[in-house]
Amino acid sequence: MESLKGKNVVLIGASGGIGEKTAKLLASSGANLCITGRDMLKLKAVAETANIPLTQVFEMDLADELSVKNSFSLIQLQMPVIDILVNAAGVGIIKPMETLSAEEFRLSLNTNLVGVFYLMQSVLPGMKEQKKGLIINIPGVLGKVPMAGAAAYSASKFGLVGMMQSIREEIKRTEIRITNLFLGGVDSPFWDHIDLRVQRDKMVMAEEAAKAIWFLCQQPRSGVVSEMVLQPFNHQAI
Ligand SMILES: NC(=O)c1ccc[n+]([C@@H]2O[C@H](COP(=O)([O-])OP(=O)(O)OC[C@H]3O[C@@H](n4cnc5c(N)ncnc54)[C@H](OP(=O)(O)O)[C@@H]3O)[C@@H](O)[C@H]2O)c1
């Protein structure tokens, strides 16, 4: 395993259920971490418990191109070389077509897909210059298999997988690694506003999902973990 000590890592969505646990694990392994999210209060609380300096905490709305660009220009002042980008941000709108609004569909795509396009535009030039780097996204199982009510969410996550596979082709002469983490249900605030009967106590724990990301950040240098699947025992969709 590659050590995380001194690695420059940017974590998007550090205020979320999985992101927060990931921030703590990466920081405690010696990574030099910049964290982002929309809610500065939550981010500052994460920074405090994970011992991340406040100068490395950035407000960033993934759905807003200018916000992503502005945050990255500040991040790059702190971190001219980014070794690892972990994107743990995302929005989950799970509704049948009858109640799904066009606005909700657009929000899903703008956050989970177009937002990652902005991220790629921000990090790829530097990684291409270094000819190395690691990019981890979490398309989730619904980025691979369909589910009723997931038209917006799956459209965004299947799109994300397609975009990342295409980028993988573009950078194949470099050592930039692209990893997709396909998580099944993880018990996090993600499910707080989803109107579905789900058994949260049977889901993967957010800490365990974070450990998977922590492992992926240390994957062996001589290869690439292009995909990882982690799902609850009682709901193995793949
Ligand atoms: N939980 C699951 O069952 C599950 C399963 C498969 C895949 N995933 C994926 O895993 C990732 C993390 O999910 P989670 O369970 O940690 O969800 P969560 O607890 O709801 O956290 C979501 C995170 O995304 C951030 N976010 C949402 N919209 C944003 C925007 N426009 N700009 C910037 N940040 C934004 C939130 O920040 P704010 O604090 O600003 O809202 C929060 O940090 C997501 O991509 C999700 O799709 C989750």
Side-chain angles (χ1 to χ4, degrees):
M1 302 239 295
E2 277 253 312
S3 167
L4 272 166
K5 242 190 175 52
K7 285 268 162 65
N8 290 334
V9 183
V10 178
L11 173 62
I12 313 295
S15 54
I18 298 171
E20 177 185 356
K21 311 279 182 212
T22 305
K24 288 179 188 159
L25 277 177
L26 296 179
S28 66
S29 296
N32 180 32
L33 197 57
C34 283
I35 60 173
T36 81
R38 289 174 302 181
D39 184 332
M40 278 308 269
L41 272 181
K42 277 201 238 167
L43 282 178
K44 282 181 181 167
V46 174
E48 196 171 5
T49 46
N51 237 345
I52 298 165
L54 287 180
T55 49
Q56 296 187 189
V57 178
F58 300 91
E59 195 173 338
M60 181 195 289
D61 179 353
L62 206 46
D64 176 347
E65 183 174 13
L66 201 60
S67 168
V68 176
K69 291 214 159 121
N70 287 343
S71 307
F72 265 97
S73 50
L74 296 174
I75 288 171
Q76 275 151 355
L77 292 178
Q78 298 280 332
M79 214 174 250
V81 171
I82 296 170
D83 297 305
I84 303 174
L85 175 82
V86 177
N87 172 26
V91 63
I93 299 171
I94 310 282
K95 286 181 169 186
M97 284 299 287
E98 305 88 81
T99 55
L100 179 68
S101 70
E103 199 183 324
E104 288 167 327
F105 190 84
R106 277 192 292 268
L107 176 69
S108 305
L109 259 66
N110 284 341
T111 310
N112 298 346
L113 176 58
V114 184
V116 188
F117 167 75
Y118 303 145
L119 290 180
M120 293 306 106
Q121 286 202 317
S122 303
V123 297
L124 274 175
M127 288 188 176
K128 279 184 174 165
E129 213 172 295
Q130 300 296 317
K131 289 198 174 358
K132 64 179 180 154
L134 169 61
I135 297 164
I136 300 173
N137 278 297
I138 316 177
V141 163
L142 294 180
K144 214 187 234 303
V145 292
M147 183 184 88
Y153 187 71
S154 275
S156 68
K157 296 293 192 169
F158 270 70
L160 169 62
V161 172
M163 179 173 75
M164 295 315 297
Q165 279 172 342
S166 179
I167 292 174
R168 189 180 278 148
E169 291 301 309
E170 283 183 33
I171 45 102
K172 68 181 174 196
R173 290 190 204 295
T174 70
E175 285 180 26
I176 301 171
R177 290 171 294 172
I178 290 178
T179 298
N180 288 332
L181 175 57
F182 294 95
L183 292 174
V186 176
D187 185 13
S188 79
F190 180 89
W191 294 98
D192 288 354
H193 307 291
I194 293 178
D195 189 15
L196 268 189
R197 281 219 326 253
V198 289
Q199 293 176 288
R200 285 179 66 158
D201 58 330
K202 297 244 164 55
M203 288 182 176
V204 172
M205 291 159 64
E207 290 83 355
E208 303 294 345
K211 276 184 199 161
I213 297 171
W214 173 79
F215 165 79
L216 290 170
C217 287
Q218 301 168 86
Q219 58 188 269
R221 207 188 202 160
S222 57
V224 53
V225 182
S226 43
E227 291 190 6
M228 181 192 269
V229 181
L230 175 62
Q231 47 192 339
F233 288 110
N234 70 336
H235 202 272
Q236 297 184 45
I238 298 177

